[in-house]
């Protein structure tokens, strides 16, 4: 009778024991998981958990970059229209009366420089003499007491002097100027050569004796021309005092 009653309570005791064991195991697992969580300190038994709010550090708002002002582009200045280039017209040559005679050909090539003729060509006695540094001319109807002197540097000049009296033939004979031609000029050329130091200094000694012939002469606005008996023309420009042999 007693043995039967002991076996009767065993089935009712075992299930609660099993449930108690399972609950213990679950609680242990939960506790281990809580201990293994980093930064978590287990609360003491009986302590009431208080939720600690996380500290939120507020960062200052990033400054919004203000837009860089862009200066307004200057309005393009209007490009002025190019001025029309004036058409250059050639300066008309002065109207001159035609030149005929011995100087017509030369004048046609130098008319813009020597200008219009102021008279016709004339013929008369011309005296000519050559020197080391130039030449001397005398024109019978024009040069009463003067001579046209041509220098080797391309310049010329008219020198005036008292008229030659006709004697002596050699004006200043001495040790350096023997009374013979050449090297000493005689008569009117010799008198000017002796009395005007510039002529003697720049021309030097004569290289021949003077000779006379019938030559041609003509005057122009800016000079004059002489043509020798050999057909050689000399041009004399009064604007710059130069001469040319043509």
């Amino acid at each position: 009778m007693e043995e039967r009653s002991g076996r009767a309570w065993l089935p009712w005791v075992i299930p609660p024991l099993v449930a108690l064991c399972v609950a213990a195991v679950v609680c242990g697992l939960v506790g281990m998981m809580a201990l293994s969580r980093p930064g978590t300190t287990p609360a003491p038994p009986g302590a009431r958990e208080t939720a600690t709010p996380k500290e939120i550090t507020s960062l200052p708002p990033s400054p919004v970059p203000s837009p860089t002002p862009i200066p307004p582009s200057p309005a393009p200045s209007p490009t002025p229209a190019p001025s029309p280039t004036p058409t250059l017209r050639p300066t008309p040559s002065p109207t001159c009366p035609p030149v005929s005679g011995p100087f017509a050909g030369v004048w046609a090539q130098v008319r813009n420089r020597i200008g219009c003729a102021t008279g016709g060509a004339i013929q008369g006695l011309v005296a000519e003499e050559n020197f080391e540094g130039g030449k001397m001319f005398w024109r019978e109807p024009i040069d009463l007491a003067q001579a046209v002197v041509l220098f080797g540097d391309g310049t010329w000049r008219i020198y005036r002097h008292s008229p030659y009296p006709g004697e002596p033939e050699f004006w200043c004979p001495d040790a350096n100027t023997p009374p013979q031609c050449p090297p000493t000029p005689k008569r009117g050329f010799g008198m000017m050569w002796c009395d005007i130091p510039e002529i003697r200094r720049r021309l030097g000694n004569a290289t021949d004796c003077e000779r006379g012939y019938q030559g041609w002469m003509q005057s122009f606005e800016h000079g004059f021309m002489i043509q020798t008996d050999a057909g050689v023309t000399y041009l004399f420009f009064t604007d710059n005092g130069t001469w040319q042999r043509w």
Side-chain angles (χ1 to χ4, degrees):
M1 202 67 182
E2 293 176 0
E3 183 177 6
R4 183 177 296 176
S5 60
R7 286 194 294 266
W9 63 266
L10 284 174
W12 297 102
V13 173
I14 291 174
L17 290 174
V18 172
L20 183 61
C21 291
V22 171
V25 171
V26 171
C27 290
L29 292 174
V30 171
M32 292 178 66
M33 292 176 64
L35 291 175
S36 62
R37 185 178 298 172
T40 303
T41 305
R48 189 175 179 180
E49 291 186 3
T50 303
T52 303
K54 295 182 180 180
E55 182 180 356
I56 300 176
T57 304
S58 61
L59 297 176
S62 301
V64 179
S66 59
T68 303
I70 301 176
S73 301
S77 57
T79 303
S83 301
T85 303
T87 303
L88 298 178
R89 297 182 179 180
T91 303
S93 301
T95 303
C96 299
V99 173
S100 60
F103 302 108
V106 177
W107 178 79
Q109 300 182 59
V110 298
R111 59 180 298 179
N112 291 335
R113 184 175 178 187
I114 204 166
C116 301
T118 57
I122 59 175
Q123 191 175 24
L125 178 63
V126 175
E128 173 186 348
E129 188 166 6
N130 295 301
F131 293 80
E132 295 171 333
K135 182 187 290 286
M136 294 182 74
F137 278 112
W138 176 79
R139 301 166 293 177
E140 181 185 30
I142 302 172
D143 301 324
L144 299 179
Q146 64 184 25
V148 181
V149 182
L150 290 70
F151 297 108
D153 61 1
T155 61
W156 67 275
R157 182 177 172 186
I158 291 179
Y159 289 87
R160 291 176 173 81
H161 199 273
S162 58
Y164 173 62
E167 57 181 24
E169 192 170 40
F170 291 96
W171 196 257
C172 56
D174 57 27
N176 296 320
T177 55
Q180 63 183 38
C181 179
T184 305
K186 56 184 180 181
R187 291 189 286 271
F189 286 158
M191 183 180 68
M192 299 180 71
W193 183 81
C194 291
D195 290 349
I196 302 176
E198 184 181 16
I199 294 178
R200 184 170 182 173
R201 175 177 56 83
R202 297 184 65 181
L203 288 183
N205 292 330
T207 58
D208 59 12
C209 292
E210 68 177 71
R211 68 184 187 91
Y213 53 83
Q214 290 293 314
W216 288 94
M217 296 151 276
Q218 190 166 3
S219 296
F220 297 85
E221 291 177 321
H222 306 296
F224 59 92
M225 301 184 192
I226 297 176
Q227 188 179 88
T228 69
D229 58 346
V232 179
T233 299
Y234 289 87
L235 290 78
F236 300 85
F237 300 101
T238 55
D239 56 350
N240 59 5
T242 62
W243 64 272
Q244 288 182 358
R245 185 178 186 271
W246 205 275

